[in-house]
Amino acid sequence: IRVNGNGREVKVILHHAHHPDHEAAGPTPLLVQVHGGPTAHVGALAVLSFLYWTSRGFTVADINYGGSTGYGAAYRHLLDGQWGVVDFEDVITVVQQLVAQGVADPRRTYISGGSAGGFTVLSALAFHDVFRAGASHYGVSDLEALARLCPRPPPARVAWRGVYHAGRELFVGNVGVWREAGLAGRPYEIYVDGQRQQHDLAILKSAIAAIGP
């Protein structure tokens, strides 16, 4: 499906709740899945892990937020200098639209993502109330540490130009972008310091990771 918001069209692969012996009555619980990259892409495929949820009454929204590959150069470049803003806005837009359409139950909305997607999970829980709980799988939580540890971006990670430039200059520049959007480059700290623990958060990470909480 395609969802409109923030002046752009968000691409979503929607896996509807389904069970051969039970019919969903009314809005269902919603699991939003956020890919990593941050410029990766998810296709319209049968995903066995999603079948676990859909067979138990959940709708799963696998989101190709602005900046994802597969939809042309203009869509891909939406994330340039906007990592932490566009992805955040798009997942919120999708949930709000699915709730408004009667697909999702606003009392049972959840989000999960890994790596760059984990950063989006942390931002969503820190800066918005649309989700009840989330899971960050080895997610980035500190963009300044990421810029410091990786002074040059991999050639394929063009979207990271919002973080890298001679080490950290463009990260500092991005602080203004985040602040204007009401966001920040360390969402986990906002989540903890801002007393937003009413939204349950599961964090799965490596013991040696330096850019996760």
Side-chain angles (χ1 to χ4, degrees):
I1 67 171
R2 301 184 179 190
V3 175
N4 292 310
N6 299 299
R8 56 185 173 270
E9 189 178 69
V10 187
K11 324 298 184 183
V12 184
I13 310 300
L14 198 63
H15 302 260
H16 290 279
H18 176 75
H19 191 284
D21 299 325
H22 301 279
E23 183 176 348
T28 71
L30 175 69
L31 173 62
V32 168
Q33 183 66 39
V34 189
H35 66 65
T39 57
H41 172 87
V42 293
L45 303 171
V47 182
L48 292 180
S49 60
F50 291 169
L51 290 177
Y52 172 87
W53 296 103
T54 57
S55 66
R56 287 156 176 79
F58 280 73
T59 295
V60 178
D62 208 1
I63 301 179
N64 282 314
Y65 51 78
S68 303
T69 54
Y71 300 100
Y75 195 75
R76 199 351 249 111
H77 289 295
L78 287 173
L79 205 62
D80 291 359
Q82 295 289 315
W83 183 21
V85 178
V86 168
D87 49 313
F88 165 81
E89 292 176 342
D90 286 358
V91 298
I92 301 301
T93 294
V94 169
V95 174
Q96 292 174 333
Q97 290 287 340
L98 292 177
V99 168
Q101 294 170 10
V103 174
D105 181 348
R107 301 166 300 174
R108 296 179 292 173
T109 54
Y110 311 95
I111 184 171
S112 176
S115 191
F119 179 74
T120 308
V121 169
L122 294 173
S123 296
L125 293 178
F127 303 115
H128 210 285
D129 293 324
V130 72
F131 292 106
R132 303 304 99 194
S136 172
H137 300 256
Y138 53 91
V140 174
S141 68
D142 188 336
L143 292 188
E144 184 174 10
L146 179 62
R148 184 174 63 251
L149 293 170
C150 306
R152 292 185 180 180
R157 304 297 174 88
V158 182
W160 288 15
R161 68 178 60 168
V163 179
Y164 301 95
H165 179 255
R168 293 167 54 186
E169 282 79 357
L170 268 187
F171 164 76
V172 176
N174 243 10
V175 170
V177 175
W178 289 322
R179 286 176 178 168
E180 183 177 350
L183 307 174
R186 293 175 175 172
Y188 178 72
E189 293 181 1
I190 303 297
Y191 174 83
V192 174
D193 297 341
Q195 301 299 313
R196 298 182 66 87
Q197 296 92 327
Q198 68 268 27
H199 303 310
D200 293 334
L201 170 63
I203 294 178
L204 297 88
K205 66 182 289 287
S206 165
I208 61 172
I211 57 176

